[in-house]
Amino acid sequence: MSTPHMNAGIDRRHFLKVSSSATAGLSLGFFVPQSAHAAETPQLNVWVEIEPNDTIVIRYARAEMGQGSMTSAPMIIAEELDADWKKVRVEYATAHENLRTKRAYGDMASVGSRTIRNSQEYLRKAGATAREMLVAAAAQQWGVPASECKASLNKVTHAASKRSLSYGQLAGAAAKLEAPKDVQLKNPKDWTLIGKPIARVDIPDIVVGKTRYGIDTQLPGMLHAAIAACPVFNGKVKSMDASKVENRRGIVKVLNMGDFVAVVADNWWRAKEALREVSVDWDVGEHGTLSSAAIMAHFKAGMEQAELAVARNDGNAIEALGKSAKVLEADYFTPYLAHATMEPMVCTAWLQGDKLDIWSSTQNPEATLAVSAATAGVPQTHVKVHPVQLGGGLGRKSAQDFTRQAVLIAKAMAGKPVKMLWTREEEIQHGLYRPASLMRFKAGLDASGKVDALHIRVSAPSILATLLKLPLPKGIDGQAVASFNDHPYDIPNTLVDYAQRNTNVPVGFWRSVGHSQNPFGRECFIDELAQAASKDPVAFRLDMLPNNEKSKRDRSILEAVTKAAGWGSKLPEGVFRGVAETEGYGSWTACVCEVSVNAKNEVKIHRIVIGIDPGYAVNPDNIVAQFQGSVVHGLTAIFWGENTIKEGRVEQSNFHDYRMMRLNEMPKVEVVIAPTGGFWGGVGEPAQAPLAPALVNAISAAMGKRIRSLPLKNHGLSLVKT
């Protein structure tokens, strides 16, 4: 995997221009607007290299874990560059290059569905500037105005003289030119690549087994480590007896690392099997009696607090509720969820003196570099983080707990590369779980059935306070109240408040985070209100969505999806529909599910129609794939996903009791892409938001009774195999 040529000593007012007489190639960078915490001086970035054979190398500066942005992000550069996509090669940028160039690549984390929406502007400028420099080089060579020249498909053409030169031929000359200070970006109506279905660049290598994931790392003389942490969170090693395994064949060392135990061996299977026979006495502290029942009691107590942090307060909801013609109240609950990525936590570390090399399945290579350096006690400039493909991330691999473990082990085995791999049991029982959440809804309707007051109270842990150790603005964790404090409905009196109820169960960013659970409560309760008002659920929502700029995209995606689903048309006997819509990660989504439930409480999903308005749809083919994958992930959580606590421990341990959806249970999924333009929304996470409420609304209609908690297995429901 090659790396881009970098030069840190160039004037920051210009593009980084690197030419070589041997290759006559061109490397281009550009100014990147930095976030508020970055240096005031703009940073240089290197994104495009043009080789003499006309190959265009485009750098990708995030992690690829199946979300497809390794294709979509370079498409944005290629569009403005007027590149021939068939001649584009995509290569990773690295965190150590980013460090060396003072964060020229900016944020490298693949989290929060923000790869496209947060970087599209500077990626477009990269391509546009490269294009203009190539055009200027051609015009200079021909002695004609640049305005008479046009770039297209790796060529610059002068129509009047019918002359043309390839980008490869122009690269050397273009490298000697001063980059333009301002560039004209294309009008979306002129796009020829963005908006087209493009096959992912990583798929061919994945299919033939050429792609190297973190788990595939192999190095000369490499050792393997299996680890076990205390089964009760935050516990420590009290004592350890490894006498049964220390002299066993292949066992190199057994390590007591304070908060975990590691066995290092010449292969991972030996390490894992030996670990079973290491006797560890754990100090579980005060949390050894914690249970799911105690956590629920803790959450319920939060509901009764006299004063809570206020996330939204329009009008006077409490007073209005007292005057309402009809008042409805309901509690909804969603459980803790593990990530269960197909590739468990894995990191290979090789410490040689004060030099450290890392191969890690990480969603945040910059954080991996920083944590690795701090753990090894070496300068960050002495650390290299080698990019690898991730076998799924889902938010779990943005945290660096496993990185720290791997480097600590490598430090103890100085000079030897060590690959640390968690077991599935370790991964499920030592996760950073989606927070469990108890949500209380109370709404008042006037005599005409219009909602005039809404009070939403949330009792849940805070990811920001516990994982990131950040102070909460006005006591509010934004993920805990997401889709509540920003709901789009025209309800004049709205109160949203929050009870922070932390436990020692570690919580983190699970795909869609608050949007994976809060829309379930919100949109199901909206259906309850529609039923109380004797109104159609879609018409009820549309009536509450004002015709203004703020809500127009809620309306448009709801209308697009319900039209595609044929909402209002006659259904077969025993089949029922459910609907939901919401906003998340800068995009708007909606979903319609059609289901039936038989006498055995078996749910048959006849059809799922799910749609998105991401503003601009960069790669429709990838959006469809992301939504189909999101439905698989979402249905798994909706039907079976639940982590329960007993005696301070997570009870589930592997796929036999933390169930995954199976191939023969997959329903038909129709994806509606309805971009309205004018903005760049996320795609990887938003699909989770409307799926659960649409499905549960349909099931509740089919059963004639309301379901207010997940997973559905706890209601005796199962999924019919197709």
Side-chain angles (χ1 to χ4, degrees):
M1 205 173 288
S2 62
T3 56
H5 181 74
M6 308 296 286
N7 186 336
I10 305 298
D11 183 355
R12 291 179 179 178
R13 293 185 177 273
H14 305 293
F15 276 65
L16 178 61
K17 297 179 291 184
V18 180
S19 63
S20 167
S21 58
T23 64
L26 170 65
S27 179
L28 294 172
F30 60 98
F31 296 128
V32 179
Q34 297 297 300
S35 55
H37 66 273
E40 292 182 5
T41 306
Q43 300 297 306
L44 288 168
N45 227 324
V46 175
W47 295 96
V48 178
E49 289 183 6
I50 301 177
E51 298 178 350
N53 65 1
D54 224 26
T55 297
I56 297 178
V57 178
I58 296 179
R59 303 296 174 192
Y60 175 65
R62 306 271 179 162
E64 177 58 58
M65 53 187 169
Q67 80 277 30
S69 57
M70 191 174 187
T71 301
S72 299
M75 281 176 64
I76 293 173
I77 296 176
E79 175 66 70
E80 294 288 350
L81 180 57
D82 276 311
D84 182 348
W85 183 253
K86 295 177 182 177
K87 296 182 179 180
V88 168
R89 184 173 77 245
V90 180
E91 295 183 358
Y92 282 107
T94 65
H96 45 276
E97 291 164 357
N98 206 28
L99 176 70
R100 187 160 63 90
T101 56
K102 300 181 179 179
R103 296 196 81 232
Y105 285 100
D107 182 6
M108 300 184 77
S110 289
V111 295
S113 288
R114 67 189 191 195
T115 294
I116 300 301
R117 61 194 178 111
N118 281 22
S119 61
Q120 54 81 21
E121 183 178 4
Y122 57 77
L123 295 180
R124 291 161 69 204
K125 287 181 178 178
T129 302
R131 180 189 72 235
E132 291 196 13
M133 292 176 72
L134 291 161
V135 167
Q140 188 178 79
Q141 183 168 330
W142 294 326
V144 299
S147 60
E148 294 181 5
C149 302
K150 179 177 175 57
S152 178
L153 294 176
N154 277 39
K155 287 184 178 180
V156 178
T157 302
H158 183 239
S161 63
K162 297 183 179 180
R163 289 176 290 184
S164 67
L165 290 168
S166 72
Y167 284 0
Q169 291 173 310
L170 292 166
K176 299 172 184 177
L177 300 177
E178 182 173 316
K181 294 180 179 179
D182 297 303
V183 291
Q184 182 68 41
L185 299 179
K186 284 186 180 181
N187 189 308
K189 68 180 178 60
D190 297 324
W191 287 341
T192 59
L193 189 61
I194 292 176
K196 299 292 189 296
I198 301 294
R200 276 174 45 178
V201 298
D202 55 332
I203 294 296
D205 283 351
I206 291 173
V207 171
V208 300
K210 187 178 178 181
T211 297
R212 312 316 291 169
Y213 293 86
I215 201 170
D216 296 322
T217 303
Q218 295 291 335
L219 297 167
M222 186 172 74
L223 298 174
H224 300 260
I227 68 105
C230 182
V232 176
F233 303 114
N234 302 326
K236 306 290 183 183
V237 178
K238 188 183 294 183
S239 62
M240 180 187 79
D241 181 1
S243 58
K244 287 185 179 180
V245 303
E246 283 177 330
N247 296 317
R248 186 177 292 182
R249 179 186 175 190
I251 303 305
V252 178
K253 202 165 189 178
V254 182
L255 300 169
N256 178 349
M257 308 304 286
D259 56 355
F260 70 97
V261 170
V263 175
V264 182
D266 60 359
N267 69 52
W268 186 76
W269 185 260
R270 284 176 175 160
K272 179 191 74 90
E273 290 300 298
L275 186 60
R276 295 174 184 268
E277 297 187 51
V278 175
S279 177
V280 183
D281 184 14
W282 298 101
D283 179 2
V284 301
E286 61 181 322
H287 301 294
T289 61
L290 187 68
S291 67
S292 290
I295 292 171
M296 178 59 83
H298 184 53
F299 287 2
K300 287 182 176 178
M303 288 290 186
E304 308 308 322
Q305 287 183 204
E307 294 185 9
L308 296 179
V310 175
R312 178 173 178 175
N313 192 8
D314 299 340
N316 191 326
I318 302 302
E319 181 180 316
L321 282 165
K323 299 176 181 178
S324 296
K326 182 184 290 186
V327 175
L328 273 72
E329 185 170 349
D331 284 0
Y332 280 77
F333 177 74
T334 53
Y336 291 108
L337 290 179
H339 295 76
T341 57
M342 292 309 297
E343 178 195 43
M345 307 303 109
V346 59
C347 180
T348 300
W350 191 357
L351 181 63
Q352 301 174 83
D354 63 349
K355 307 292 184 184
L356 177 62
D357 287 86
I358 298 290
W359 294 260
S360 177
S361 287
T362 175
Q363 289 179 235
N364 191 342
E366 288 187 282
T368 296
L369 189 151
V371 168
S372 297
T375 303
V378 302
Q380 289 190 22
T381 52
H382 290 198
V383 180
K384 288 186 177 180
V385 177
H386 303 272
V388 294
Q389 205 100 334
L390 280 66
L394 306 172
R396 179 59 181 92
K397 293 175 182 174
S398 59
Q400 301 300 317
D401 51 338
F402 64 101
T403 301
R404 170 184 165 272
Q405 291 174 338
V407 175
L408 284 172
I409 296 168
K411 193 174 179 180
M413 309 300 298
K416 288 282 189 179
V418 183
K419 178 163 71 177
M420 182 211 68
L421 173 66
W422 285 19
T423 61
R424 178 62 60 195
E425 289 79 6
E426 194 72 18
E427 193 270 335
I428 289 179
Q429 296 185 320
H430 293 86
L432 294 170
Y433 305 90
R434 185 191 73 178
S437 182
L438 181 62
M439 300 162 271
R440 178 165 296 167
F441 298 86
K442 191 173 184 179
L445 291 82
D446 64 18
S448 67
K450 179 179 172 61
V451 182
D452 56 12
L454 175 65
H455 181 193
I456 305 175
R457 175 163 288 184
V458 182
S459 185
S462 167
I463 299 172
L464 298 182
T466 60
L467 176 65
L468 302 183
K469 312 297 183 187
L470 294 175
L472 301 185
K474 299 181 180 180
I476 297 296
D477 186 312
Q479 289 295 339
V481 298
S483 86
F484 297 153
N485 64 331
D486 57 353
H487 78 74
Y489 298 117
D490 185 14
I491 302 174
N493 301 287
T494 294
L495 173 62
V496 180
D497 47 23
Y498 170 58
Q500 183 185 168
R501 306 302 279 177
N502 301 327
T503 72
N504 77 311
V505 179
V507 294
F509 298 99
W510 193 93
R511 189 180 193 179
S512 299
V513 204
H515 287 90
S516 73
Q517 55 196 149
N518 293 352
F520 161 65
R522 187 189 89 184
E523 291 294 295
C524 284
F525 189 64
I526 292 294
D527 255 38
E528 291 197 55
L529 295 174
Q531 186 176 7
S534 300
K535 294 185 178 181
D536 173 81
V538 173
F540 187 73
R541 286 172 170 80
L542 290 172
D543 285 345
M544 287 199 298
L545 290 171
N547 282 305
N548 58 28
E549 188 68 23
K550 182 179 179 182
S551 299
K552 69 177 184 181
R553 294 188 178 98
D554 293 277
R555 295 183 65 88
S556 66
I557 192 61
L558 180 59
E559 290 172 337
V561 170
T562 53
K563 180 180 179 180
W567 187 273
S569 62
K570 185 175 176 58
L571 286 166
E573 186 70 24
V575 178
F576 295 81
R577 290 190 181 105
V579 67
E581 76 86 21
T582 190
E583 180 273 342
Y585 299 93
S587 293
W588 280 258
T589 57
C591 183
V592 171
C593 294
E594 296 177 3
V595 310
S596 59
V597 182
N598 65 24
K600 297 179 181 179
N601 273 357
E602 294 173 328
V603 178
K604 181 176 181 179
I605 304 176
H606 298 265
R607 185 184 182 203
I608 294 176
V609 182
I610 187 165
I612 183 170
D613 175 5
Y616 296 115
V618 176
N619 187 351
D621 183 66
N622 193 54
I623 293 174
V624 170
Q626 278 294 287
F627 268 57
Q628 291 169 337
S630 291
V631 169
V632 176
H633 187 226
L635 290 177
T636 289
I638 293 163
F639 273 91
W640 305 285
E642 179 183 37
N643 289 112
T644 53
I645 309 298
K646 182 178 180 181
E647 295 180 349
R649 296 159 168 81
V650 170
E651 294 189 89
Q652 295 71 31
S653 63
N654 209 313
F655 292 143
H656 70 287
D657 56 4
Y658 195 71
R659 171 90 142 74
M660 296 288 110
M661 192 177 181
R662 293 163 187 163
L663 187 62
N664 63 357
E665 294 167 332
M666 184 64 187
K668 179 182 179 182
V669 178
E670 302 169 39
V671 180
V672 177
I673 304 174
T676 56
F679 65 98
W680 302 76
V683 169
E685 299 185 81
Q688 299 277 24
L691 178 63
L695 179 63
V696 172
N697 282 335
I699 293 172
S700 295
M703 297 179 68
K705 65 176 183 180
R706 177 55 54 179
I707 293 172
R708 297 191 179 105
S709 66
L710 297 176
L712 295 178
K713 68 173 184 177
N714 292 346
H715 299 275
L717 292 165
S718 59
L719 192 57
V720 171
K721 294 175 175 58
T722 57

